[in-house]
Amino acid sequence: MTEFEMEDIAAALVAPSKGILAADESTGTIKKRFDSINVESTEESRRDYREMLFTAEGVSDYISGVILYDETLRQKAKDGRPLAEVLSSQGIIPGIKVDMGAKPLAGAEGELVTEGLDGLRERLAEYYELGARFAKWRAVISISDSAPSQYCIEANAHALARYAALCQEANIVPIVEPEVLMDGDHTIDDCYAVTETALKAVFDELYKQRVVLEQMLLKPNMVISGTTCPEQADAEEVAHKTVYCFEQTVPAAVPGIVFLSGGQSEAQATEHLNIMNELGSHPWELSYSFGRALQASALTTWAGKEENVAAAQQAFIHRCKLTSAARDGEYGTHMETAS
């Protein structure tokens, strides 16, 4: 693959009207999701659930790429085709989560650093052979009276840049995900300050480690009030402050910003994305890389029952359609209730 092909893949992932489905929940995380609908989490039930999403009619109209978990990338659909092939045959680009999760950061109580760099070069080569053409690495930054420390921000920025450089060496487009968590009672201005600091550190490290910005995507949080903050910022303020923050920190060479939903409801994440795109043209595409905010309705509708598959796929496509409209700045809350 040439460098231009990596640029083409990055551009295709943020094509108009399309975004990324994050279906890369770890085995532990998807177990929690399945527990909420009283479904046992087995290799087969996880495969059935994800295959249901990947084969929903019309999914490729709204989804440009899917981030897979290691297990899923190796699984086969009921018809015997690898799930990666099920996606690529529809023009959807398979991706892979490559980090090994956030672990306690030595010398910084309560703070986390993402691990998974050991052996990553070899894993990326294998993932490429299995069909993955982009990857994701998530760093987690929390806000409290004592956090985040500059040490935590820099440790995570360094790891994100090392990961991104290894991806590009392997002809895989890196999605760089520094997530400032919503958990806590912090204000939207606290979130703004931490997000700005984190993004400046991340791009400083990406530059030092020779990552080509045209061949990567950024997956950040929105600038938003903490979940238990008494004064919740409205959707207009979230959108304006988020865009302003990125104008201060994200180079125009980055082809796209694919937001994480980060615990927001489906409707909330969609409304915020829509207002940002209504604000006019930006140096980068503003799209989505949602997990729960694309899957929640489909998951509860499915409830692990074969007879609910068609209705669950319908719920999933409805959500994709609304999120796609928001990605183009054409969403209205009245669309939530339309069939």
Side-chain angles (χ1 to χ4, degrees):
M1 189 189 293
T2 68
E3 61 196 60
F4 299 113
E5 286 177 271
M6 274 200 280
E7 287 176 24
D8 289 345
I9 285 170
L13 288 168
V14 289
S17 310
K18 293 188 181 185
I20 297 167
L21 168 65
D24 61 330
E25 301 89 355
S26 67
T27 308
T29 301
I30 202 159
K31 182 184 182 305
K32 287 180 199 157
R33 302 266 198 280
F34 280 15
D35 286 348
S36 72
I37 56 165
N38 296 314
V39 171
E40 187 185 355
S41 178
T42 64
E43 193 178 337
E44 190 178 4
S45 65
R46 294 190 291 270
R47 190 276 315 271
D48 289 348
Y49 171 63
R50 284 164 171 152
E51 183 177 351
M52 175 184 78
L53 299 178
F54 303 165
T55 56
E57 192 176 345
V59 64
S60 60
D61 293 343
Y62 315 109
I63 300 297
S64 55
V66 177
I67 310 169
L68 304 170
Y69 189 56
D70 180 274
E71 174 187 76
T72 320
L73 185 61
R74 301 174 191 280
Q75 284 179 322
K76 289 185 168 64
K78 289 193 184 84
D79 66 7
R81 289 183 300 159
L83 286 175
E85 191 183 308
V86 170
L87 293 170
S88 55
S89 67
Q90 302 175 76
I92 298 172
I93 303 166
I96 180 71
K97 167 189 157 131
V98 299
D99 68 68
M100 295 297 190
K103 307 288 165 63
L105 177 61
E109 192 176 346
E111 295 193 279
L112 302 169
V113 67
T114 302
E115 296 185 349
L117 289 169
D118 289 352
L120 181 56
R121 177 179 273 123
E122 293 73 23
R123 286 192 291 128
L124 287 168
E126 184 190 9
Y127 288 145
Y128 188 90
E129 290 301 314
L130 289 168
R133 292 295 177 266
F134 71 99
K136 190 203 80 166
W137 178 290
R138 174 176 177 247
V140 181
I141 296 159
S142 55
I143 302 178
S144 70
D145 294 341
S146 59
S149 62
Q150 193 62 27
Y151 165 44
C152 172
I153 287 172
E154 288 176 3
N156 278 294
H158 182 81
L160 278 166
R162 282 193 61 196
Y163 139 80
L166 284 163
C167 281
Q168 291 184 345
E169 177 190 81
N171 292 317
I172 286 175
V173 171
I175 293 185
V176 172
E177 181 179 1
E179 180 179 2
V180 177
L181 296 174
M182 284 174 68
D183 306 336
D185 60 0
H186 52 273
T187 66
I188 189 170
D189 291 327
D190 294 332
C191 181
Y192 181 101
V194 173
T195 302
E196 182 184 49
T197 303
L199 288 174
K200 283 180 175 171
V202 166
F203 281 101
D204 188 41
E205 277 292 342
L206 290 168
Y207 174 73
K208 285 178 189 169
Q209 298 192 40
R210 307 177 182 182
V211 173
V212 181
L213 300 185
E214 291 86 351
Q215 298 167 17
M216 63 157 278
L217 297 173
L218 180 70
K219 179 171 177 172
N221 54 285
M222 297 179 189
V223 174
I224 198 165
S225 315
T227 41
T228 55
C229 177
E231 290 182 36
Q232 291 288 316
D234 64 22
E236 290 283 342
E237 188 178 2
V238 169
H240 280 83
K241 284 192 167 156
T242 301
V243 169
Y244 186 74
C245 183
F246 295 140
E247 287 172 348
Q248 305 305 307
T249 53
V250 182
V254 175
I257 294 171
V258 290
F259 287 101
L260 57 91
S261 47
Q264 299 177 67
S265 70
E266 292 175 324
Q268 201 179 18
T270 308
E271 186 181 7
H272 290 151
L273 178 63
N274 184 68
I275 297 170
M276 285 184 236
N277 278 304
E278 280 182 334
L279 293 175
S281 61
H282 306 290
W284 358 255
E285 297 294 333
L286 293 183
S287 188
Y288 50 92
S289 177
F290 292 170
R292 258 179 299 187
L294 281 173
Q295 296 182 43
S297 297
L299 181 71
T300 50
T301 304
W302 175 59
K305 296 186 171 74
E306 182 65 33
E307 62 268 27
N308 294 343
V309 165
Q313 287 181 323
Q314 215 170 350
F316 175 58
I317 291 297
H318 178 62
R319 193 72 248 158
C320 288
K321 195 179 288 189
L322 269 52
T323 313
S324 164
R327 185 255 175 279
D328 294 338
E330 295 171 359
Y331 164 83
T333 49
H334 67 278
M335 295 163 72
E336 289 291 336
T337 49
S339 61

